Each structure stands twice: as structure tokens, then as C-alpha cells.
Amino acid sequence: MLGGQVGASWTHETARWSLGVNVKGGPMWNRIDLNSRFQVGETTILNSGVTNAEEDDLSFFGEAQLQGKWHLRPNVSIRAGLDLIFIVSIAVAPFQLNFIPGGFEQIAASADSVYMGTSFGIESYW
């Protein structure tokens, strides 16, 4: 995937804690390459097949982050965050599964993926 992103952030800071939100996203050029090979049985027979295809697609990639900090000292903080990534119009392997020899007319690139995770850490500066 290749493209640019635009984003924004907001942070509320107090003497003991802070809370921040970051978001960014943008369109991406997605170059998809499908190479699929399967073989039925010990030797190559009529039911075996090979498919090779390439396609260009326009996707969207977005990120969001919620982050909180507790300031232990003026220069040391404990940090925790929630991260979210959202990707639209990508090709995923299970959608490409097809046991018909040469059986792909186009690459199935309509999957959406959402990834969510957390982060924890200590921040310090001097």
C-alpha cells in the first residue's frame, strides 16, 4: 500500500494527568499480487491448478489512538493507550481460495480489517 495520510490530535493536560486523542487516515494505492497453486493427489492431474493475477485497488487506511498518562513526577509518567487500525478494500487469503483450475476472474479485494490493541509504558525526559 502506498499513499498519504492526514490527521489531527487533541490533548488535555493537567498537573497530575493527561488525556489525548490522535486520528489519521487517507487513501492508499494497493497493488495486489495473487499466486495460487494447488495439487490434488501425489502426482499432477487435471484437478491441479495454478493461478497468477495482479490488480490495482484503491484502499483506505485509518488509525485512532486514545492515550492517558499519570504523572508520577514532573518528568516521569505512566502511560496507557488504546490503538485502532481500520483498513478498507484489501485482499485477504481466505477470499482467494478457489479449487477450479485457472478459476479466478478477478482478485477478491473487498475485505475490511480492524485491528485493536493496547499499549502500556513509562515515559521520561530530562
Side-chain angles (χ1 to χ4, degrees), residues 61-122:
F61 187 92
E63 297 178 63
Q65 180 185 48
L66 175 64
Q67 188 175 64
K69 296 178 189 175
W70 183 260
H71 308 307
L72 299 173
R73 300 180 50 84
N75 63 340
V76 178
S77 301
I78 295 176
R79 177 179 55 136
L82 178 65
D83 302 300
L84 181 70
I85 296 175
F86 182 60
I87 309 170
V88 178
S89 296
I90 60 172
V92 292
F95 290 0
Q96 313 311 322
L97 191 60
N98 187 346
F99 293 109
I100 301 170
F104 285 94
E105 301 213 358
Q106 66 179 13
I107 297 174
S110 60
D112 298 341
S113 293
V114 177
Y115 302 98
M116 185 169 58
T118 57
S119 62
F120 301 96
I122 297 175

